[in-house]
Amino acid sequence: MNTSLNANKLPTLTWNHFKVNHKEIHLSNEPDTAVSPKIITNNSTAVLKDSRTLDDLTFSGSDKKTETYILQNASLTKSIIVPKNNTDTAPLIFDLNLQPADKLTCLLDIVLEENSSANIVVSVSSAAESTAQYADLIRIHAAEGASLKLTCLQLLGKAALSFNNIVACLENEAKVSVLQIPLGAETALASAIMDLRGYHANSEIRSEYIGHLTQDIDLNYVARHYGKKTLSDIKMTGFLSDSSKKTARGTIDFHRGCKGSIGNESETVLMLNKNARNKSVPLILCDEEDVVGTHGAAIGTLDEDRFFYLKSRGIDENSAHRLFLDSAVSRLKGLLPDMLAAKIDNYNKEVLFNESV
Amino acid sequence: MSDTLAKNPSITDINRNLYDFTKGEKDVEKLASGLTEEIVRQISAKKNEPAWMLEHRLKSLKIYHELKVPNWGPDISGLNIDNIVTYVRPNTKMAAKWDEVPEDIKDTFERLGIPAAERTSLAGVGAQYDSELVYHNIQESVAEKGVIYSGIEEALAGPYAEMIKEHFMKLVPPTDHKFAALHGAVWSGGSFVYVPPYTTVEIPLQSYFRLNSPGAGQFEHTLIIVDKGAHLHFIEGCSAPKYNVANLHAGCVELFVGEGAHLRYSTIENWSKNMYNLNTKRAKVEKNGVMEWVSGSFGSHISYLYPMTILNGEYAKAEFTSITFAGEGQNLDTGTKILHNAPHTSSVVSTKSLSKSGGTSTFRSAVTVTEKAHKSKTIVSCQSLMLDDKSRSDTIPLMDVRCDDVNVGHEASIGRIDDAAVFYLMSRGLSEEEAKTLIVNGFANPISKELPLEYAVEMNNLIRLEMEGSIS
């Protein structure tokens, strides 16, 4: 039996026939596979628990039905408590390696106490030929002055489904930077919704993807400004090759009272195949006068002059595409801890370029 | 600086005397309120129209009942179709001379400046009062070129009947949305324009729509066909006095721009603030054709207005330039849709919106680039200005790209008037209100410069009226 969810809901609806108001997915209700994360860490100060810690906090981004599904089905529940004034930012890596038919639902609470800092990486992967299902909810509370860098890398197999949900609540002067890299899975959903509640709270959301084969990537990012002088930045960058498709929703939502706040949103999409399809819905919702909100998007193909140059050097169109994808992958590797770079390399060869590893 | 700005700066409401005057309903013929098959048949019977049109109306009525009210956009639960009178006929026939128009109706259009504009700067004028056209005229020199500008009902009984049948509600089918279906069922009045191949109409034509009757709807249909290589500028104006009951405007505009043709369609919409403006406008542009929209939305209580351009031929171009000013009690959801459906097509969308005194302004757009639209380019730019902390401004653009070798750009910004700019202007002797009005006029300038001078002045006056009292 499956649960049907309208995931990645657009905060304000628009024309229904474009099919961007939500993404309908079906998640299995069968018992989850027990997958134990390999926790690779050099960080000795963070406290790990096998229970939930943020049930009392309200996150505006929590979709009730999704939250209920995760809470009822989660077979992996963890909390990470980063103690007050912690300055150890060595990466704490959660490495989840799923078997080809695994179904895993995961709840992760991250609590950053006052003036603490942390660097957390969640990596989910499986073999290239996999029908795995992965759904998570990562809840974050960043107390006053706290700072978090969170990276979510998803390298599931070609027929898998992935749904990576992040909700965060930021107090005064807190900063949360999220990087999502949904490289794998046939259906890859990623979402991050930030509640900027405190004075000068600051959120950065960055998403990097390489759409390939018949992959369907669905992104939903929201920065909700409540506190005064809050800052947000949403950046989405990616390539769409083969018959892949991608829908990106990005919303800057200024609530009354968030005086002096600034929100920026930008998107760059490179279309590498005539069968690829891109939908972008960048929203700015504004209920406050004293703010600045900007958005910019560029969707296009490779510059003809560059192509011409490469051709003049003997590089045909397919090889040129390969070059651009290689460079994109290299850039992603640079954003991750070294120990995950090899995983990306393998994935790159096996799935993107169909080469044996 | 103007006298208006020298008035008491603590005025809290807007002086709309220019538009907000009412005339009695002497001898008017009104059908019952609501929407029934009997009412639709009655409207059709009064027009002595061909059988296919009655069939079209009845089919549209059926579709209307099947379709749902949109689940997105502003709340229109205050609009009850059972309370709307869909047909109000003034006690006059259409005239070709203003002297033949009844005095009270003529006085209405005199006060709106229509006959004066016709004398100085228009090649033809159509004036609609409630559900019927009361005046239609075209300059002889323009008519001699073979340009047809007449009431659409009149044209439906003449030599262009087949052309109208071929095009009527083909761009905006009744199935498009609930209020297109409503329009299909009860439409009345409106203009028909045909510009023959390679003919240039040098001076604009204008249709003006005035809704006088409280609780009534206006459903005019405008059909313009600009044939191969022809040029036309068409201006549409509309206004109504304010009543304390809901009025409804669900007109429909269909524009066909032929190969190499050029059409500019300018609108200054200034409906009263009890109006539900659920209007539909759409243009189809063939190879090398150019469609330009210039649009100013100032009135209405609620607006859903998204003129759409279908770029259907190679190298077809569209430009959409608009400004929306939402004040107290207004929720104006405006924008555009562009469909790139042929190679090398291009579009430029440039919009400005202002929100003030608790008004809500929403920019909503959709740019679709189909598989056929290779080498197409589009750029969308929307800028919103918040004039106080009680108002709201949203931008909801959408881009759907199904082709790789295209160039799609989008930029949006929301903010308020820069304090430093106001301070500078005040240091040069302007009051705060004058300084802000000047800045808002500058913000609107890219739009007003696209309008003929008289209409740019009208738009600037509207901005000034809206800004009046903004500093209390």
Side-chain angles (χ1 to χ4, degrees), chain A residues 16, chain B residues 64 67-72 74-77 79 178-179 304:
Chain A
N16 295 302
Chain B
Y64 172 82
L67 293 177
K68 288 181 182 162
V69 170
N71 62 346
W72 49 271
D75 177 20
I76 53 170
S77 58
L79 174 68
K178 193 172 181 71
F179 296 97
Y304 279 68

Side-chain angles (χ1 to χ4, degrees), chain A residues 307-340:
Chain A
F307 253 137
F308 181 78
Y309 172 76
L310 291 171
K311 276 182 187 170
S312 75
R313 313 295 291 180
I315 298 167
D316 65 15
E317 194 168 324
N318 284 340
S319 306
H321 280 171
R322 167 86 193 234
L323 262 182
F324 280 105
L325 287 178
D326 273 338
S327 70
V329 172
S330 298
R331 197 164 51 82
L332 292 184
K333 280 159 57 181
L335 300 171
L336 293 165
D338 292 344
M339 57 191 81
L340 294 175

Side-chain angles (χ1 to χ4, degrees), chain A residues 293-309:
Chain A
T294 57
H295 168 261
I299 302 153
T301 191
L302 295 172
D303 183 32
E304 280 184 10
D305 290 344
R306 279 193 211 179
F307 253 137
F308 181 78
Y309 172 76

Side-chain angles (χ1 to χ4, degrees), chain A residues 127-142:
Chain A
E129 304 303 327
S130 157
T131 56
Q133 174 193 293
Y134 174 76
D136 70 13
L137 176 61
I138 300 176
R139 303 187 293 190
I140 300 162
H141 180 240

Side-chain angles (χ1 to χ4, degrees), chain A residues 13-16 256 277-287 289 291 293-297 299-301 304, chain B residues 71-72 364 375 388-395 397 399-402 404 406 408-415:
Chain A
L13 298 181
T14 192
W15 292 290
N16 295 302
R256 189 153 297 168
R277 183 166 180 180
N278 174 76
K279 290 185 195 174
S280 302
V281 201
L283 271 58
I284 304 179
L285 310 177
C286 186
D287 216 1
E289 173 204 19
V291 295
T294 57
H295 168 261
I299 302 153
T301 191
E304 280 184 10
Chain B
N71 62 346
W72 49 271
R364 190 184 300 271
K375 310 282 182 198
D388 58 38
D389 58 5
K390 295 187 286 185
S391 306
R392 183 173 177 89
S393 183
D394 295 341
T395 65
M399 286 154 278
D400 182 356
V401 181
R402 308 170 200 172
D404 57 343
V406 296
V408 179
H410 178 269
E411 57 182 37
S413 65
I414 283 184

Side-chain angles (χ1 to χ4, degrees), chain B residues 106-400:
Chain B
K106 192 174 101 178
D107 180 57
T108 299
F109 287 106
E110 290 277 8
R111 290 174 72 166
L112 295 167
I114 306 304
E118 183 182 10
R119 284 191 294 274
T120 57
S121 52
L122 294 169
V125 162
Q128 179 156 334
Y129 198 77
D130 292 330
S131 300
E132 294 290 351
L133 282 164
V134 293
Y135 175 85
H136 227 287
N137 193 27
I138 181 170
Q139 274 182 11
E140 264 179 40
S141 60
V142 179
E144 279 167 6
K145 291 180 176 178
V147 176
I148 305 299
Y149 179 41
S150 71
I152 189 165
E153 292 169 23
E154 182 192 350
L156 202 49
Y160 289 87
E162 266 311 301
M163 186 185 272
I164 293 174
K165 186 179 177 185
E166 201 182 306
H167 293 87
F168 187 85
M169 292 202 82
K170 294 295 191 289
L171 273 185
V172 183
T175 46
D176 206 67
H177 58 83
K178 193 172 181 71
F179 296 97
L182 174 66
H183 175 89
V186 299
W187 77 272
S188 179
S191 297
F192 169 66
V193 183
Y194 173 68
V195 187
Y198 306 106
T199 303
T200 298
V201 183
E202 275 129 10
I203 320 172
L205 302 175
Q206 181 180 19
S207 284
Y208 199 96
F209 303 98
R210 175 76 177 175
L211 185 57
N212 182 64
S213 185
Q218 196 169 54
F219 307 96
E220 84 288 348
H221 195 96
T222 302
L223 174 60
I224 299 177
I225 300 167
V226 186
D227 217 325
K228 200 182 262 192
H231 286 240
L232 174 70
H233 182 186
F234 190 89
I235 299 169
E236 175 195 66
C238 36
S239 68
K242 186 173 181 183
Y243 295 108
N244 54 8
V245 292
N247 277 55
L248 168 64
H249 177 232
C252 180
V253 175
E254 294 183 290
L255 311 173
F256 293 85
V257 183
E259 197 175 316
H262 182 283
L263 173 60
R264 172 173 280 212
Y265 195 94
S266 305
T267 308
I268 294 284
E269 182 270 297
N270 191 28
W271 293 114
S272 55
K273 293 184 180 176
N274 60 315
M275 180 69 85
Y276 286 80
N277 183 30
L278 312 174
N279 207 13
T280 311
K281 298 178 178 182
R282 197 160 294 170
K284 188 164 107 175
V285 190
E286 303 300 342
K287 186 176 175 182
N288 290 322
V290 178
M291 178 68 219
E292 293 175 355
W293 301 90
V294 181
S295 178
S297 296
F298 295 88
S300 303
H301 168 50
I302 304 275
S303 259
Y304 279 68
L305 182 64
Y306 323 99
M308 178 176 182
T309 312
I310 301 166
L311 297 168
N312 212 43
E314 274 185 88
Y315 295 97
K317 288 181 183 170
E319 263 185 45
F320 181 85
T321 310
S322 82
I323 186 161
T324 298
F325 198 134
E328 186 179 359
Q330 292 184 282
N331 190 340
L332 306 184
D333 200 299
T334 61
T336 188
K337 289 185 192 177
I338 309 269
L339 176 67
H340 290 259
N341 198 35
H344 300 282
T345 50
S346 59
S347 63
V348 178
V349 175
S350 172
T351 71
K352 310 260 183 179
S353 64
L354 299 109
S355 309
K356 180 186 156 290
S357 305
T360 298
S361 171
T362 300
F363 168 75
R364 190 184 300 271
S365 70
V367 174
T368 305
V369 184
T370 69
E371 296 84 349
K372 292 189 250 178
H374 298 286
K375 310 282 182 198
S376 290
K377 290 178 181 176
T378 172
I379 176 83
V380 177
S381 160
C382 61
Q383 291 177 294
S384 305
L385 201 53
M386 298 277 286
L387 296 178
D388 58 38
D389 58 5
K390 295 187 286 185
S391 306
R392 183 173 177 89
S393 183
D394 295 341
T395 65
I396 310 175
L398 189 157
M399 286 154 278
D400 182 356

